Amino acid sequence: MEIIQTQDAFKALIEDIKTTTEGYRDPLAFGICRVDLGQLNVDKTLQATYPLINWDENFGSAAIFIRALQEQGVRVDFSQTEVVCDINVDFLRAALAAFTPYSDEAYGHAHKNIQVISALYTQIISNGSFEGEFKVTFIFDDAPLKSVEASYLKLYAISQAKVGLREINLNGAFGALPNVAWSNGQPIELDYLREFEIELKLANEYPHIDFVDKFPRFLQHIIPQDNTRILDTSKVRFGAQIAAGTTVMPGASYINFNAGTTGSVMVEGRISSSAIVGDGSDIGGGASILGVLSGTDGNPISVGKNCLLGANSTCGIPLGDGCIIDAGVAILEGTKIAIYPEELKKLMAVNTNMKMEGEIFKGKQLAGFYGIHYRQNSMTGEITASRSTKEIKLNADLH
């Protein structure tokens, strides 16, 4: 690719790429990643690290990457939902030539894709060959995942809040991602450890294994937002989304992938996959929010703003704002809950769409309503619901 001298020439090049490339379409997402390859299966990707992802943006950069691949003899198949290609030094040179009008200091910091290409080119020139270590990934449709590289790109999009929780298709991720041993942030093939267990142990080179999983930990890939605290790296899985002001305490806390918080939240319990917790809420010690595979009939759970889940409670239905589940109480879709007439009137006054009659209801019937306090009568064991009279406020100094 010849050196582009002006911004107008750059725009003309982008138009030329899009109009002359058969089947061209803008990608939904794309990015350049460094991959960790298998120790035994050297062509197998175990992990993909993206210094920058592009989600529904920067289509000019995508066009340049596609043209740079074409010049190396690599054809991008636009009919596919995702495409992963190896890149080489010639790819980097071609991209840098095209980006010349934007590569000076005034523009460089504003165009992160140029920074990625420039930094990688400098690194390669300094360190030599990098065959197979770096790839460019394009996602053209929000479809079930097929590759490790595309799976990581989508997980980055969630954890960096480029997309909302539960807004993109993560089907196929478990099949695409290999189960590996993680040691100091690096993935190791389990087959490799089995094959060379004797030699590694006799040489005192057997690695310290932190955990075994398909997913790395959140902090291995994501720089958290300001005023966010994660006190134990094992408590948050990559693919979680953590809003500023959230505190994740050690102990019984946990946040799964495609789950998380939308504001300042105290997390001392478990937020299972696809569960979302609203601003100002407190998930007490050992409390559990059920995931879509944990008894909710596939219905994902959202907990509203300023809610409290008491210690060791279980939330199996969506909660509106200002709800409380007392310590040790389990509210599931099928839980029988008593609401006495006076309390039902109070609840209907703040939930205008709550058209209900009777005194005994299932938890599923109360899903999403505001201002409900769930209790258990210590004398009879009866689960009751009433209008909450408590205001849930987090300690501002901690969040």
Side-chain angles (χ1 to χ4, degrees), residues 200-337:
L200 289 168
K201 287 181 176 178
L202 288 176
N204 197 29
E205 294 177 357
Y206 191 84
H208 172 80
I209 305 301
D210 299 308
F211 62 104
V212 176
D213 193 10
K214 291 174 174 284
F215 291 74
R217 292 170 177 173
F218 180 87
L219 291 177
Q220 286 176 214
H221 287 270
I222 302 299
I223 301 171
Q225 297 192 55
D226 289 344
N227 201 28
T228 299
R229 297 187 297 156
I230 300 172
L231 278 68
D232 184 338
T233 60
S234 68
K235 299 305 180 182
V236 185
R237 212 176 190 190
F238 183 48
Q241 190 175 112
I242 311 298
T246 294
T247 295
V248 184
M249 298 296 286
S253 61
Y254 182 68
I255 304 178
N256 209 338
F257 78 100
N258 202 24
T261 64
T262 63
S264 297
V265 174
M266 172 60 77
V267 182
E268 296 183 275
R270 291 176 289 277
I271 304 176
S272 298
S273 181
S274 298
I276 302 175
V277 180
D279 183 40
S281 290
D282 188 338
I283 311 304
S288 292
I289 304 171
L290 300 188
V292 291
L293 301 178
S294 306
T296 66
D297 287 337
N299 300 315
I301 293 177
S302 294
V303 173
K305 298 178 180 179
N306 303 113
C307 290
L308 171 63
L309 303 189
N312 297 318
S313 63
T314 302
C315 178
I317 63 170
L319 301 180
D321 298 345
C323 288
I324 299 173
I325 301 179
D326 274 1
V329 173
I331 302 298
L332 309 177
E333 289 191 346
T335 302
K336 298 293 180 62
I337 302 167

Side-chain angles (χ1 to χ4, degrees), residues 36 40 53 83 85 135 137 151 157 160 163 175 190 193 217 225 227 250 286 289 321 331 349 365 378 389:
D36 292 295
L40 274 183
I53 70 161
V83 175
C85 302
K135 300 176 185 289
T137 304
S151 297
Q160 293 181 347
V163 297
L190 293 171
L193 294 177
R217 292 170 177 173
Q225 297 192 55
N227 201 28
I289 304 171
D321 298 345
I331 302 298
Q365 295 175 268
S378 61
T389 60

Side-chain angles (χ1 to χ4, degrees), residues 6-240:
T6 66
Q7 293 182 32
D8 287 341
F10 178 85
K11 294 174 183 176
L13 173 61
I14 300 304
E15 184 64 23
D16 178 71
I17 295 170
K18 292 186 176 185
T19 56
T20 62
T21 302
E22 183 180 357
Y24 189 94
R25 56 176 175 150
D26 289 327
L28 172 66
F30 69 97
I32 290 174
C33 63
R34 180 185 59 76
V35 297
D36 292 295
L37 300 173
Q39 292 78 20
L40 274 183
N41 303 290
V42 294
D43 294 326
K44 179 180 180 181
T45 299
L46 305 183
Q47 176 180 221
T49 301
Y50 289 87
L52 174 72
I53 70 161
N54 303 269
W55 191 275
D56 199 22
E57 61 186 340
N58 299 324
F59 301 120
S61 294
I64 295 300
F65 291 172
I66 289 168
R67 173 59 63 85
L69 287 169
Q70 291 173 335
E71 293 189 353
Q72 315 316 312
V74 179
R75 176 179 173 271
V76 173
D77 186 352
F78 297 98
S79 69
Q80 297 296 311
T81 59
E82 62 186 62
V83 175
V84 182
C85 302
D86 290 337
I87 59 176
N88 56 27
V89 174
D90 290 334
F91 168 92
L92 298 174
R93 289 196 183 102
L96 285 174
F99 284 136
T100 299
Y102 302 94
S103 61
D104 60 35
E105 186 174 354
Y107 291 105
H109 293 297
H111 292 269
K112 294 292 186 180
N113 285 301
I114 300 175
Q115 193 174 343
V116 170
I117 293 290
S118 179
L120 181 54
Y121 182 77
T122 300
Q123 179 179 319
I124 299 312
I125 294 301
S126 301
N127 299 334
S129 176
F130 67 105
E131 184 175 354
E133 188 179 352
F134 295 93
K135 300 176 185 289
V136 59
T137 304
F138 302 94
I139 295 177
F140 291 102
D141 298 294
D142 186 21
L145 292 156
K146 300 176 182 178
S147 67
V148 172
E149 292 84 358
S151 297
Y152 269 77
L153 200 161
K154 280 193 172 183
L155 292 171
Y156 266 99
I158 294 172
S159 286
Q160 293 181 347
K162 295 273 189 175
V163 297
L165 291 164
R166 304 199 301 241
E167 289 185 0
I168 59 174
N169 191 341
L170 292 177
N171 293 338
F174 269 93
L177 298 176
N179 198 37
V180 297
W182 295 91
S183 178
N184 195 30
Q186 299 301 308
I188 304 172
E189 283 183 291
L190 293 171
D191 286 344
Y192 167 79
L193 294 177
R194 296 185 186 105
E195 181 77 17
F196 294 99
E197 180 182 6
I198 292 174
E199 291 82 357
L200 289 168
K201 287 181 176 178
L202 288 176
N204 197 29
E205 294 177 357
Y206 191 84
H208 172 80
I209 305 301
D210 299 308
F211 62 104
V212 176
D213 193 10
K214 291 174 174 284
F215 291 74
R217 292 170 177 173
F218 180 87
L219 291 177
Q220 286 176 214
H221 287 270
I222 302 299
I223 301 171
Q225 297 192 55
D226 289 344
N227 201 28
T228 299
R229 297 187 297 156
I230 300 172
L231 278 68
D232 184 338
T233 60
S234 68
K235 299 305 180 182
V236 185
R237 212 176 190 190
F238 183 48

